[in-house]
Amino acid sequence: MTTSTASTASTAPAAPGRVLPSGPLARVRWAVADSWTVTRRYLIHWVREPSYVVWGLMYPMVSVLLFGYVFGSAMVVPGGGDYREFLLPGLFGMTMMFGIGNTMMGVTTDADKGITDRFRAMPMARSAVVVGRSTADMINSVMDLVILILCGLIVGWRAHGTAGETLAAVGLLLLLRFAFIWVGIYLGLRAKNAETAGNFYALLFPLTMISNAFVAPEMMPGWLGAAAAWNPLSSTVAAIRELFGNPGLGGDSWIAQNALLMAVAWPLAIVALFLPLSVRRYRRARR
């Protein structure tokens, strides 16, 4: 974390003489206020260092140019259709999943610089750090998604569904991102340093590539296609293609035929597993 990041920690909750609230409602207000303070800290850091956001968008933008224009003429979409309209929903989903790395590195860097220990020593709600981190990442993800959709419109992608279906597709993308935020927080708390976090980050490439983001699973070898079809990313991408009215629908497997159901079920299962793990890990962490 840079010096500017450390300085923004001064926006963290109140000083050590703070009186802890009593009563359930007062504690909820206390937790919400502290969580928003931590959220503001991350947002201020991103405003001061916009390169964080810019570099996060470089990979999907380069992928649009590389796969959409360089390799696009050689790609075949099952059932026919424009490959760029097939590709963009996959890139939307990949960007949401790659957010794991940003969350994980942010959490690990805070721990390395002693910011997490400082928060833990202050009279603040125990949940504020992880909730504040997840809220800031969701705000950042909304901005990323808006920029990517605008880029998609520029290169010729269109959403052919109704306004309600388009909003539902955006909601599914943000639900996927919310689920993987908690994976990133947990892995960031588990990582001993930034190098270890970088090793976790490398695993994102096979996890995102073995999916239906670039190629339909039915065009892969049998075993690989089955693994790609059951990837949570594939369910979200297939569901939003259906809602956006983009090409690439198909597949006879159960998972392919129930993409909308699984686009909700996968993220909820991930949240149910990793949210309590993240909170427990933060409470027990001793760095």
Side-chain angles (χ1 to χ4, degrees):
M1 182 178 297
T2 63
T3 304
S4 64
T5 307
S7 66
T8 56
S10 61
T11 63
R18 180 178 183 182
V19 177
L20 301 183
S22 60
L25 187 58
R27 287 186 176 275
V28 169
R29 288 198 298 264
W30 175 49
V32 170
D34 285 350
S35 298
W36 176 242
T37 300
V38 175
T39 299
R40 286 179 57 248
R41 171 185 174 267
Y42 287 112
L43 296 178
I44 291 170
H45 173 53
W46 292 335
V47 169
R48 292 179 178 177
E49 296 191 9
S51 59
Y52 175 90
V53 178
V54 172
W55 281 110
L57 291 170
M58 288 301 294
Y59 178 77
M61 288 180 177
V62 170
S63 296
V64 170
L65 297 176
L66 182 63
F67 288 91
Y69 289 97
V70 179
F71 300 141
S73 59
M75 298 291 188
V76 177
V77 179
D82 181 72
Y83 179 71
R84 281 196 293 275
E85 288 211 338
F86 172 88
L87 174 66
L88 263 298
L91 292 180
F92 296 158
M94 286 184 67
T95 302
M96 298 296 100
M97 194 166 179
F98 264 109
I100 294 177
N102 297 332
T103 302
M104 182 172 52
M105 292 300 294
V107 171
T108 303
T109 302
D110 276 358
D112 284 344
K113 297 297 183 179
I115 305 300
T116 302
D117 287 337
R118 180 178 178 183
F119 281 141
R120 189 178 291 111
M122 298 177 74
M124 61 186 294
R126 289 293 187 93
S127 60
V129 174
V130 290
V131 172
R133 177 77 218 190
S134 63
T135 303
D137 280 354
M138 285 303 296
I139 293 172
N140 183 54
S141 298
V142 171
M143 294 187 296
D144 286 350
L145 195 53
V146 169
I147 293 172
L148 282 175
I149 288 174
L150 291 175
C151 291
L153 293 172
I154 292 172
V155 301
W157 170 82
R158 296 292 182 271
H160 304 289
T162 65
E165 289 171 334
T166 299
L167 289 175
V170 171
L172 289 178
L173 286 167
L174 294 176
L175 179 62
L176 182 72
R177 177 68 181 105
F178 179 74
F180 282 110
I181 281 173
W182 294 103
V183 178
I185 290 174
Y186 178 71
L187 293 178
L189 292 171
R190 294 282 302 183
K192 299 299 182 183
N193 48 50
E195 289 75 18
T196 304
N199 294 332
F200 286 145
Y201 191 87
L203 296 175
L204 286 174
F205 286 93
L207 288 175
T208 54
M209 291 297 179
I210 304 176
S211 70
N212 63 356
F214 295 109
V215 180
E218 54 265 32
M219 299 182 67
M220 302 177 185
W223 64 271
L224 189 62
W230 281 90
N231 187 331
L233 173 62
S234 293
S235 293
T236 295
V237 171
I240 65 174
R241 281 183 181 136
E242 180 178 344
L243 292 168
F244 284 141
N246 294 147
L249 305 180
D252 298 327
S253 64
W254 183 91
I255 191 75
Q257 295 296 319
N258 293 274
L260 282 171
L261 171 65
M262 296 306 297
V264 176
W266 275 123
L268 292 181
I270 292 169
V271 171
L273 175 63
F274 282 95
L275 191 155
L277 285 177
S278 298
V279 173
R280 185 171 64 179
R281 180 66 185 178
Y282 171 73
R283 288 175 174 173
R284 293 183 176 181
R286 292 292 184 270
R287 294 183 183 270

